[in-house]
Amino acid sequence: MPVDARQPVDEGSAVIRDLYKRDGRRVYAALVRLLGDFDRAEEATQIAFLAAASRWPAEGVPRKPVQWLISAGRFRMIDQMRRDRRMTQWSDEAERAVERLELQQDPETIEDDRLRLIFTCCHPSLSEEAAVAMTLREVCGLATEAIASAFLVAPPTLAQRIVRAKSKIRDACIPYEVPDTDELPRRLDRVLRVVYLAFTEGHSSSGGENLVQADLMAEAIRLGRLILKLLPEAEVQGLLALMILQHARHAARMSPGGDLIPLDEQDRGLWDHAAIAEGAEHARQALLSGRSGPYTLQAAIAASHAEAPRFEDTDWAEIAGLYAALLRIEPSPVIALNHAVAIAMRDGPETGLALIEPLLQADRLGRYHLAHAARADLLRRMGRTDAARQSYETARDLATQEAERRFITRRLAEIGP
């Protein structure tokens, strides 16, 4: 292990604890590449930090503590594998693996290892559910229990999902690498989709009592910042802008009692205006690149909402135009619904309703509670309260989130019997 110029440790445990929180997953990502095994890398990471806790208080913090930890984890794992040779059946392949480990160099660019780990966790051969769970667990370091709670599954079920994904990566010899230039665009789409799935589950939980899970949103944003730092592509910046802008408004989305507050009733003083400025700037830069994709256009829409001083000042013509552009490059019933709502806000509820009615005939939107809620809202604005009541009741029956159910019930009470 290389000897560095060292700094004294005044409070060794605090220094190591802070380093683990900030850089623990960087160390782990490097050890995954060096050891070629998720579980060994996790064990080696713990061993390395235990070694630091025993040595640094007396010796001081190394000049390059992250590299020290990676080197410590690797060499201690080599020692352990050598000891295993004396107690278990040892194959020629196992011997060659240890020899390769001894010859490998510790990484100079640790950030690249984190990018490799992200692409490995989001490999196309894994299911989307497994990719989300793997990314949050292995890259972000979230506890299995926290991820399971966010996605409304039992912790043992989620743990098994991660175990199966790791086995598939090992058995299929999935390479631990960033794909080459030809493959990168297709693989990057999967990575961004997985990150955004994690964010949207935090922003609007799929079920249960809590609509918003701020920790999950924050982890997805942290992952977005990391990917943009390592891979500065326009759509990466667009996704980061979108997540920052949506997160900036989350404090005003819920009442202290846990009730949903719609956009037109939110206290904009509770919005994080510094985050809005940052997100809007990221969106502007992504748009100026000339390579606008769906995340960038959604970020531009979010920026238009967030930068309006009052709801009445919202530029619905701009938003309708952005949704029209988004619909051209990513046609989907949900985007068509949002476009119809923007048209309704620009041209009146009758125009919007004429666009929504045929969409509700599609199987997907026919079971989508927000489509029926949007129809109900337009009917209410037109004074057609009986029809509005029917649509609100359908929306309430289809909603799976308790806060949304309570909001729709409140709307029903407002229009009366």
Side-chain angles (χ1 to χ4, degrees):
M1 195 179 306
V3 177
D4 302 306
R6 295 173 183 266
Q7 300 171 351
V9 178
D10 296 325
E11 298 180 9
S13 60
V15 169
I16 294 165
R17 195 163 53 246
D18 291 345
L19 190 67
Y20 183 82
K21 184 176 180 181
R22 187 182 68 246
D23 294 313
R25 301 323 283 179
R26 296 173 69 200
V27 173
Y28 170 71
L31 287 168
V32 171
R33 179 177 66 80
L34 290 168
L35 300 172
D37 184 276
F38 286 98
D39 295 331
R40 276 183 176 162
E42 192 74 62
E43 184 179 355
T45 302
Q46 301 301 323
I47 289 171
F49 276 94
L50 286 171
S54 67
R55 292 182 53 179
W56 290 5
E59 299 176 8
V61 179
R63 186 170 55 85
K64 295 182 177 180
V66 173
Q67 281 84 346
W68 188 99
L69 288 160
I70 293 167
S71 186
R74 178 163 70 97
F75 282 113
R76 279 165 174 75
M77 188 52 64
I78 290 172
D79 290 343
Q80 182 170 310
M81 292 169 73
R82 292 287 188 196
R83 288 195 299 273
D84 289 346
R85 179 175 58 178
R86 295 194 294 270
M87 293 179 286
T88 61
Q89 187 174 2
W90 195 254
S91 66
D92 291 342
E93 178 54 37
E95 181 65 32
R96 285 193 292 271
V98 173
E99 289 172 356
R100 285 196 300 271
L101 259 179
E102 290 176 322
L103 291 172
Q104 285 190 79
Q105 298 296 312
D106 293 334
E108 289 295 326
T109 310
I110 298 159
E111 298 290 9
D112 287 350
D113 283 318
R114 298 176 83 185
L115 193 59
R116 290 187 188 100
L117 184 56
I118 292 167
F119 275 95
T120 302
C121 291
C122 297
H123 195 274
S125 67
L126 302 177
S127 72
E128 207 151 72
E129 294 85 356
V132 172
M134 283 276 288
T135 302
L136 292 174
R137 177 69 189 89
E138 308 303 326
V139 181
C140 298
L142 261 65
T144 302
E145 292 77 11
I147 305 168
S149 174
F151 288 92
L152 304 175
V153 297
T157 301
L158 189 99
Q160 281 301 313
R161 192 175 290 171
I162 293 173
V163 167
R164 286 194 297 269
K166 287 179 179 179
S167 299
K168 186 164 190 175
I169 289 169
R170 182 190 64 240
D171 297 343
C173 299
I174 291 172
Y176 179 69
E177 64 185 16
V178 178
D180 59 31
T181 305
D182 293 338
E183 180 72 7
L184 184 59
R186 187 171 70 87
R187 291 280 299 279
L188 181 60
D189 286 347
R190 178 78 186 282
V191 169
L192 298 185
R193 188 165 68 252
V194 163
V195 173
Y196 194 49
L197 277 171
F199 179 85
T200 52
E201 184 61 30
H203 184 262
S204 296
S205 179
S206 56
E209 283 290 331
N210 297 320
L211 179 67
V212 175
Q213 300 179 78
D215 289 350
L216 200 55
M217 285 193 287
E219 284 298 332
I221 290 172
R222 192 161 67 88
L223 199 53
R225 292 189 190 280
L226 172 63
I227 297 170
L228 181 63
K229 179 181 176 183
L230 303 177
L231 204 65
E233 297 283 337
E235 268 296 81
V236 180
Q237 190 164 30
L239 174 59
L240 178 60
L242 175 60
M243 294 190 295
I244 290 172
L245 287 162
Q246 291 183 337
H247 185 262
R249 307 198 303 261
H250 88 272
R253 291 179 63 221
M254 304 292 290
S255 73
D259 288 324
L260 180 64
I261 302 174
L263 184 62
D264 60 327
E265 297 176 16
Q266 288 177 16
D267 178 359
R268 300 190 176 212
L270 296 176
W271 290 2
D272 185 341
H273 293 281
I276 288 170
E278 181 196 2
E281 179 58 22
H282 277 302
R284 188 184 69 81
Q285 290 180 19
L287 283 168
L288 288 175
S289 72
R291 301 188 301 278
S292 300
Y295 294 118
T296 299
L297 289 172
Q298 289 178 76
I301 292 165
S304 189
H305 280 298
E307 292 181 317
R310 302 175 305 156
F311 182 77
E312 296 78 10
D313 300 322
T314 306
D315 189 343
W316 289 107
E318 178 183 61
I319 291 172
L322 288 166
Y323 270 122
L326 181 59
L327 198 53
R328 284 195 294 272
I329 64 172
E330 194 171 89
S332 83
V334 174
I335 293 171
L337 173 67
N338 291 332
H339 178 242
V341 171
I343 292 291
M345 297 303 296
R346 186 190 70 186
D347 299 338
E350 295 85 356
T351 308
L353 186 63
L355 295 173
I356 288 178
E357 294 285 15
L359 294 174
L360 283 169
Q361 306 308 311
D363 289 341
R364 182 177 173 188
L365 285 194
R367 303 293 301 167
Y368 184 44
H369 68 287
L370 293 180
H372 291 279
R375 179 178 185 269
D377 190 57
L378 297 183
L379 290 166
R380 178 177 60 85
R381 288 167 56 194
M382 293 164 62
R384 295 172 56 186
T385 54
D386 287 345
R389 186 180 301 105
Q390 290 177 359
S391 284
Y392 276 133
E393 288 171 350
T394 302
R396 181 194 57 197
D397 294 343
L398 290 171
T400 58
Q401 223 295 324
E402 288 301 323
E404 291 182 328
R405 276 206 196 107
R406 289 197 301 270
F407 173 74
I408 296 167
T409 302
R410 196 163 72 243
R411 280 283 191 252
L412 275 165
E414 288 169 1
I415 62 174

